[in-house]
Amino acid sequence: MTYPPSAPMLSISPFNVIEEAGTAVLTLTEGLEKEEFLASRLTRAETRRQLRLMSAAALLLSPDIHTLLVEIDWDGWRTLDQRLATSDQAANILLWLAVRALVPDTLMWLRVYRKNQPECFKEDD
């Protein structure tokens, strides 16, 4: 699809993608136990989709940002991105670990950094 030259192009910051998809993951999995999550094909599929968005956005951020926001597990996001390309049982367990640890930790650290290092988020303006 092509847009007329005067049409505004929307762009969304990788940080916003991470935060929105992370919120979706937490909402989808709220109150679920591991066995319930692993048994729910639809919830697991949508969670996987949201996590793929998060990992892709995390990998779009520059190495400089990764260095400045050191508390975020960027290697974990890289590993998750690689593993989400498969659909084996080990990947499903990794999904659960991401839901319970990687996503909440990342969202928490983004809030802290947004407050304490706003210059890292200047592209959001």
Side-chain angles (χ1 to χ4, degrees):
M1 173 180 245
T2 59
Y3 295 95
S6 62
M9 296 302 291
L10 299 177
S11 69
I12 184 165
S13 146
F15 291 118
N16 290 340
V17 171
I18 293 168
E19 290 169 332
E20 289 176 20
T23 300
V25 166
L26 296 180
T27 301
L28 283 163
T29 60
E30 184 176 7
L32 291 180
E33 296 297 324
K34 179 179 177 182
E35 294 75 26
E36 294 172 300
F37 174 75
L38 295 175
S40 176
R41 187 177 55 81
L42 293 175
T43 300
R44 208 174 57 245
E46 181 58 17
T47 300
R48 176 187 295 268
R49 189 180 79 76
Q50 295 293 332
L51 287 170
R52 291 202 76 179
L53 290 171
M54 290 183 77
S55 64
L59 296 178
L60 282 175
L61 294 168
S62 74
D64 291 340
I65 292 293
H66 288 187
T67 301
L68 288 170
L69 309 182
V70 69
E71 296 292 340
I72 295 176
D73 186 0
W74 301 113
D75 288 335
W77 283 109
R78 189 173 296 104
T79 299
L80 182 65
D81 187 66
Q82 294 165 354
R83 288 304 313 226
L84 289 177
T86 67
S87 60
D88 61 11
Q89 187 62 25
N92 287 336
I93 300 301
L94 190 59
L95 283 177
W96 181 249
L97 293 174
V99 164
R100 287 297 174 241
L102 190 58
V103 171
D105 288 353
T106 298
L107 294 178
M108 181 211 50
W109 281 113
L110 282 178
R111 281 191 299 275
V112 169
Y113 284 127
R114 195 179 287 274
K115 179 180 178 187
N116 296 333
Q117 293 179 274
E119 65 279 4
C120 293
F121 298 85
K122 65 180 180 263
E123 70 184 43
D124 287 350
D125 295 336

